[in-house]
């Protein structure tokens, strides 16, 4: 088989699930994102300790992003295909995005208004702004990409794993970790500014603050979004309420994701306790879980199965007659007018054994179908369409399950522009683990355990 030719260049689009940070994140494909290259972060990814790497996005190298002017003030961002690159197939629902020289983004909305920015007063009512991407993405591209676009310059980006790609509806919480939010090379003015943000937010008391989040609401089919300004306004009790909000899908509190999230956080805590001289200054911790609620899917599956069983019970007699008629049709078709036996076989002449066999075949087929329906979850398209046409996916999927299963969750550390460790040979060296990050991580685990205890 001939190799599939790879494209000479790839058109890049904004990463629609960016909830925090200030850099413009782009998508190379569904599994890979591009982030503007910062030398310190590149060095950290290239040399980070192996034990920590399982809690960071996979690093794939560096790519150059180019600006190609188009008519009517539009531009396209492209990149040459990396060596050995095999593109990941694009989802048919991928949004059509156009960029203007001003840095603004135009999105073909269609029916994909997946995001709405939550009100800033702490209430649950949205502000009626529906978008096809997280509102924070618009700000990042307006502030950062416009510089690249207006100068028509090229810029290097690092290639990272898209950790949200494993989810259908990724619920994401970006947490600024630690009690120190500046790097060794920062100016005095910047250090003072960062220290003010720490002492005036939950970073000082808890070692962690909300940097942004999106949570999928099953009641509306949209993500509710909050940004870092919301996180800075929270008190200690407000921080706990924010975590509950992150865990609430509009219908119920997702208690089912707490145990796997806590387990993953405890694994990270164990690793960090063993790290000597690693400092994650200004880094963020991402908590992710699948917004597609498996319990809702199971409930719908059972409801549809009950309805299907009622339908089958009420039409069981006709199923038997269908089996007879099908067998007659098959026999009739086998005796064609051009054959030596050109007479039609009547029902009276049917072999009763063949009729019974036909019925048994139909019964076994129905039994197999019933078993498949009871042991699998509804396919995503059927869920969205409200269909009762249940089928087993041809390959494993997040929706396929024969028993209650652990929800998909993930925990990753990101943003290493001010991080350090012994392998970087920096002028300033440290000993022992990162106590500030660990302080925040321990408080996160404690708060999540309290939520689990109070709502379990």
């Amino acid at each position: 088989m001939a190799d599939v030719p790879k494209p000479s260049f790839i058109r890049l689009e904004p990463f629609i699930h960016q909830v925090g940070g200030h850099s413009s994140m782009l998508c190379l494909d569904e599994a890979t994102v591009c982030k503007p290259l910062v030398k310190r972060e590149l060095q950290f990814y290239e040399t980070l300790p192996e034990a920590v790497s399982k809690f960071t996005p996979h690093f794939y190298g560096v790519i150059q992003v180019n600006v190609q002017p188009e008519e009517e003030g539009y531009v396209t961002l492209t990149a040459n295909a990396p060596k050995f690159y095999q593109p990941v197939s694009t989802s048919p629902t991928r949004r059509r995005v156009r960029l203007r020289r001003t840095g603004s983004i135009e999105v073909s909305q269609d029916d994909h208004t997946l995001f709405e920015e939550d009100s800033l007063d702490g209430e649950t009512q949205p502000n009626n702004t529906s978008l096809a991407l997280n509102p924070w993405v618009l700000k990042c591209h307006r502030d950062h990409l416009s510089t690249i676009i207006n100068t028509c310059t090229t810029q290097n980006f690092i290639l990272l794993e898209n950790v949200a790609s494993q989810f259908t509806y990724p619920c994401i919480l970006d947490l600024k970790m630690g009690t120190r939010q500046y790097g060794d090379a920062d100016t005095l003015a910047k250090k003072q500014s960062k220290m003010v943000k720490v002492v005036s937010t939950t970073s000082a008391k808890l070692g962690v603050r909300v940097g942004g989040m999106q949570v999928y609401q099953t009641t509306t089919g949209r993500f509710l979004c909050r940004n870092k300004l919301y996180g800075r306004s929270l008190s200690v009790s407000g921080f706990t309420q924010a975590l509950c909000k992150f865990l609430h899908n509009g219908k119920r509190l997702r208690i089912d994701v707490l145990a796997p999230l806590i387990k993953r956080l405890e694994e990270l805590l164990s690793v960090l306790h063993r790290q000597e001289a690693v400092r994650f200054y200004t880094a963020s911790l991402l908590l992710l879980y699948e917004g597609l609620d498996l319990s809702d899917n199971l409930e719908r599956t059972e409801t549809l199965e009950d309805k299907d069983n009622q339908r089958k019970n009420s039409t069981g007699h006709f199923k038997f007659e269908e089996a007879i008629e099908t067998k007659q049709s098959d026999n009739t078709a086998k005796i064609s007018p051009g054959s030596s036996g050109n007479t039609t076989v009547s029902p009276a002449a049917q072999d009763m054994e063949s009729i019974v066999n036909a019925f048994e075949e139909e019964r076994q087929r129905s039994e197999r179908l019933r078993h498949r329906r009871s042991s699998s979850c509804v396919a995503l398209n059927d869920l969205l369409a409200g269909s009762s046409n249940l089928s087993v996916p041809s390959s494993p999927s997040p929706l396929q399950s024969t028993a209650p299963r652990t929800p998909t969750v993930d925990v990753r550390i990101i943003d290493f522009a001010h991080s350090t460790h012994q392998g970087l040979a920096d002028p300033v060296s440290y000993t022992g683990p990162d106590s500030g990050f660990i302080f925040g991580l321990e408080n996160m685990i404690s708060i999540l355990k309290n939520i689990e205890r109070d709502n379990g």
Side-chain angles (χ1 to χ4, degrees):
M1 179 183 295
D3 293 336
V4 177
K6 68 178 182 181
S8 58
F9 70 89
I10 303 167
R11 178 174 176 171
L12 307 178
E13 292 190 354
F15 174 52
I16 68 170
H17 293 298
Q18 182 177 350
V19 302
H22 61 272
S23 300
S24 300
M25 302 284 288
L26 302 171
C27 281
L28 183 73
D29 55 33
E30 288 186 356
T32 315
V33 294
C34 314
K35 182 180 180 181
L37 186 150
V38 175
K39 184 178 179 181
R40 157 66 48 165
E41 185 166 38
L42 173 61
Q43 291 174 334
F44 190 87
Y45 270 114
E46 291 176 333
T47 60
L48 83 166
E50 183 177 353
V52 178
S53 63
K54 66 180 292 188
F55 293 96
T56 67
H58 296 304
F59 169 68
Y60 300 128
V62 178
I63 197 170
Q64 190 174 70
V65 174
N66 310 296
V67 179
Q68 295 184 351
E70 295 181 351
E71 296 179 353
E72 301 179 356
Y74 291 99
V75 295
T76 300
L77 300 178
T78 64
N80 293 328
K83 189 176 182 181
F84 307 121
Y85 172 69
Q86 293 296 329
V88 176
S89 60
T90 301
S91 167
T93 60
R94 187 168 182 177
R95 290 133 190 90
R96 296 185 295 277
V97 179
R98 301 187 74 184
L99 304 176
R100 285 192 172 274
R101 293 185 63 88
T102 58
S104 63
I105 302 175
E106 294 182 6
V107 183
S108 177
Q109 295 280 342
D110 296 331
D111 295 326
H112 306 306
T113 53
L114 284 176
F115 301 85
E116 53 190 10
E117 192 162 22
D118 208 358
S119 61
L120 298 179
D121 57 6
E123 299 297 329
T124 57
Q125 295 299 322
N127 66 359
N128 298 323
T129 300
S130 299
L131 302 166
L133 33 70
N134 191 297
W136 194 250
V137 178
L138 299 174
K139 174 176 172 52
C140 291
H141 281 263
R142 183 173 62 248
D143 294 348
H144 177 256
L145 265 192
S146 58
T147 303
I148 305 175
I149 292 172
N150 287 328
T151 57
C152 288
T153 59
T154 60
Q155 182 172 340
N156 289 328
F157 282 61
I158 58 175
L159 295 176
L160 300 172
E161 172 193 7
N162 175 9
V163 296
S165 64
Q166 61 185 304
F167 303 95
T168 305
Y169 294 109
C171 296
I172 307 173
L173 179 63
D174 183 305
L175 298 168
K176 271 291 182 185
M177 301 298 295
T179 53
R180 170 176 159 174
Q181 294 295 319
Y182 59 86
D184 293 321
D186 285 343
T187 63
L188 178 60
K190 188 156 190 180
K191 290 179 180 179
Q192 291 175 337
S193 173
K194 296 291 187 180
M195 289 171 64
V196 168
K197 291 176 183 177
V198 168
V199 299
S200 62
T201 65
T202 57
S203 292
K205 295 182 176 65
L206 297 175
V208 56
R209 73 171 183 262
V210 172
M213 71 176 179
Q214 67 178 39
V215 53
Y216 185 69
Q217 304 292 280
T218 59
T219 51
T220 64
R222 292 175 180 166
F223 292 96
L224 287 185
C225 306
R226 284 286 181 88
N227 59 40
K228 65 181 182 181
L229 301 179
Y230 162 75
R232 292 176 188 172
S233 70
L234 297 173
S235 62
V236 171
S237 60
F239 180 84
T240 299
Q241 293 172 6
L243 290 186
C244 290
K245 191 175 188 68
F246 171 65
L247 295 167
H248 203 287
N249 64 9
K251 183 178 180 181
R252 72 181 184 97
L253 198 67
R254 290 292 303 277
I255 301 300
D256 56 316
V257 305
L258 282 172
L261 277 176
I262 291 170
K263 179 180 179 182
R264 178 79 171 165
L265 289 170
E266 289 178 334
E267 291 173 353
L268 173 59
L269 181 62
S270 177
V271 168
L272 295 187
H273 271 301
R274 299 192 299 270
Q275 298 308 304
E276 180 72 20
V278 179
R279 294 295 183 273
F280 297 102
Y281 297 141
T282 77
S284 290
L285 185 67
L286 291 185
L287 272 59
L288 307 98
Y289 71 87
E290 176 55 67
L292 195 61
D293 194 340
L294 293 177
S295 65
D296 283 351
N297 297 344
L298 181 59
E299 179 180 335
R300 178 171 292 191
T301 301
E302 292 172 346
T303 301
L304 293 175
E305 181 187 346
D306 290 341
K307 290 181 179 179
D308 187 63
N309 286 336
Q310 292 174 6
R311 180 187 61 79
K312 287 192 295 183
N313 291 336
S314 65
T315 59
H317 174 69
F318 298 100
K319 283 287 185 181
F320 178 72
E321 291 186 350
E322 280 179 16
I324 297 176
E325 292 170 0
T326 301
K327 195 68 176 180
Q328 290 175 349
S329 299
D330 290 344
N331 288 337
T332 301
K334 289 178 182 178
I335 306 177
S336 61
S339 63
S340 56
N342 55 5
T343 59
T344 302
V345 180
S346 65
Q350 287 276 352
D351 183 358
M352 182 57 69
E353 183 178 355
S354 66
I355 297 176
V356 172
N357 289 341
F359 170 72
E360 181 63 16
E361 290 173 4
E362 176 65 18
R363 187 194 65 78
Q364 291 179 0
R365 187 192 70 80
S366 298
E367 178 64 18
R368 288 194 299 271
L369 181 60
R370 185 199 65 78
H371 176 71
R372 288 202 302 269
R373 286 173 173 167
S374 63
S375 64
S376 64
C377 290
V378 186
L380 177 59
N381 290 337
D382 292 334
L383 277 175
L384 298 179
S387 170
S388 61
N389 179 23
L390 309 182
S391 60
V392 179
S394 59
S395 60
S397 76
L399 305 181
Q400 183 176 347
S401 175
T402 57
R405 51 171 289 180
T406 302
T408 304
V409 305
D410 205 352
V411 171
R412 303 291 184 101
I413 310 174
I414 61 169
D415 298 339
F416 304 113
H418 300 284
S419 297
T420 183
H421 62 82
Q422 288 177 329
L424 293 175
D426 288 329
V428 181
S429 60
Y430 299 89
T431 58
D434 188 339
S435 59
F437 195 108
I438 288 175
F439 175 61
L441 190 55
E442 288 176 336
N443 281 323
M444 271 297 301
I445 293 171
S446 176
I447 293 172
L448 291 177
K449 285 184 175 180
N450 288 338
I451 295 174
E452 184 180 37
R453 181 200 63 205
D454 294 341
N455 297 275

